[in-house]
Amino acid sequence: ARMLATRSLTEASGPSWTTILRSCGAYEAYVRTYRGMPSSRNAAEFLLLDRLFPRSIIYSIQRAEECMSAIDPRADRVGHSNAVLRALGRIRNDLEYSPITDILGELPEHMERVQTVTREASEAIRQRFFPTQAEPSWIGEIS
């Protein structure tokens, strides 16, 4: 998300799409999928929305949702009460159901939202499963 946002902010002098694809380990997979030199639309679409490429944003979000569901077995019958799943679902829907031209037009804003949701999800997971408020209690040895 940061690389994509940087690319759109430095359009004239920033790294090329080929450089961004290579730095994400995506160039070879992109060439096999699109069979040609990267265009801004195709490269961004591949890095954002490709459901089969393991380093795309949408793949990562879907995987995070699967992992959260696996570690939080309390399935809700109606909606999600889990804040992490709700946030991930909102950002996934935002990306999946927006036309790529709209996403590219507002790429820095979309990538900022992805980073914000990622940060919020990370913090919610930390609070839920790794609470830092609990003070350790030491039990001494009994002599």
Side-chain angles (χ1 to χ4, degrees), residues 72-115:
D72 190 10
R74 296 178 298 180
D76 298 322
R77 287 185 66 162
V78 180
H80 287 293
S81 63
N82 184 313
V84 176
L85 284 173
R86 274 198 314 273
L88 291 170
R90 278 194 306 267
I91 196 68
R92 181 179 45 80
N93 286 334
D94 185 34
L95 291 173
E96 280 188 319
Y97 293 103
S98 296
I100 189 66
T101 53
D102 292 353
I103 295 172
L104 284 174
E106 301 172 349
L107 193 57
E109 293 84 7
H110 281 283
M111 296 304 96
E112 181 63 33
R113 282 196 299 269
V114 167
Q115 291 177 61

Side-chain angles (χ1 to χ4, degrees), residues 17 30 34 38-48 99-101 104:
W17 283 105
Y30 172 87
Y34 285 91
S39 68
S40 59
R41 182 185 188 282
N42 289 347
E45 183 178 72
F46 185 70
L47 290 171
L48 283 167
I100 189 66
T101 53
L104 284 174

Side-chain angles (χ1 to χ4, degrees), residues 20 23 25 44 47 49 63 76 79 82 109 122 126 138:
I20 290 176
S23 64
L47 290 171
L49 303 173
R63 187 73 180 117
D76 298 322
N82 184 313
E109 293 84 7
S122 177
R126 187 195 61 76
W138 300 97

Side-chain angles (χ1 to χ4, degrees), residues 4 9 26 42 45 62 71 97 112 123 127 131 134 140:
L4 289 170
L9 293 173
N42 289 347
E45 183 178 72
Q62 288 174 331
I71 62 175
Y97 293 103
E112 181 63 33
E123 180 60 22
Q127 287 178 356

